[in-house]
Amino acid sequence: MSKRNQLLESAARIVKDRGVNHLTLDAVAARQGLVKVGYYIIFAQRMS
């Protein structure tokens, strides 16, 4: 599974487990062991 898909899966799990109000970039990054900058880098690479 690509890193992008792993991040999206983490986001979906946060929403399922804690609700949409707890879905933040920080929460997704923390769940993946990243800092928020890493999240932006992964998505920026996919968009270029």
Side-chain angles (χ1 to χ4, degrees):
M1 181 183 296
S2 72
K3 193 62 154 175
R4 181 178 185 268
N5 286 340
Q6 289 174 355
L7 291 170
L8 292 172
E9 178 66 27
S10 288
R13 288 183 186 183
I14 290 167
V15 171
K16 181 180 176 190
D17 294 345
R18 299 176 59 203
V20 73
N21 291 334
H22 294 277
L23 180 59
T24 65
L25 291 178
D26 288 328
V28 174
R31 188 173 183 104
Q32 288 293 312
L34 298 170
V35 293
K36 191 168 27 176
V37 169
Y39 183 87
Y40 288 118
I41 290 169
I42 290 166
F43 276 89
Q45 291 171 347
R46 301 293 274 171
M47 295 178 121
S48 58

